[in-house]
Amino acid sequence: MFTYTRFEKARIIGARALQIAMGAPVLIDVPEGITPLEAAMLEFEKGVIPITVIRPS
C-alpha cells in the first residue's frame, strides 16, 4: 500500500467526507446512522477512495 503523509490523509478523507455529505454514494457497506466523516475514514482504511495524489517531482 502507498504511504500518505498525515496532510494527504487529512485532505483525502476530508474531500471524500464532503462528497458523501453532498449525496455521493458510499462505496462500502456502512452501519446505519454513521456520519459522512466516519464513512470516509472507513473507505480510506479499506483503500476504496477514488482519489489520486500527485506529488511534484
Side-chain angles (χ1 to χ4, degrees):
M1 181 177 151
F2 187 76
T3 304
Y4 293 106
T5 66
R6 60 188 173 152
F7 306 105
E8 291 168 340
K9 182 178 176 182
R11 175 65 184 206
I12 291 168
I13 292 173
R16 184 63 185 143
L18 180 61
Q19 290 175 351
I20 293 170
M22 297 298 289
V26 181
L27 301 174
I28 59 173
D29 291 332
V30 293
E32 194 67 33
I34 198 167
T35 67
L37 181 59
E38 293 169 337
M41 290 170 63
L42 287 173
E43 285 185 349
F44 184 83
E45 291 170 4
K46 299 277 185 182
V48 298
I49 297 180
I51 296 177
T52 305
V53 174
I54 300 174
R55 294 181 178 160
S57 53

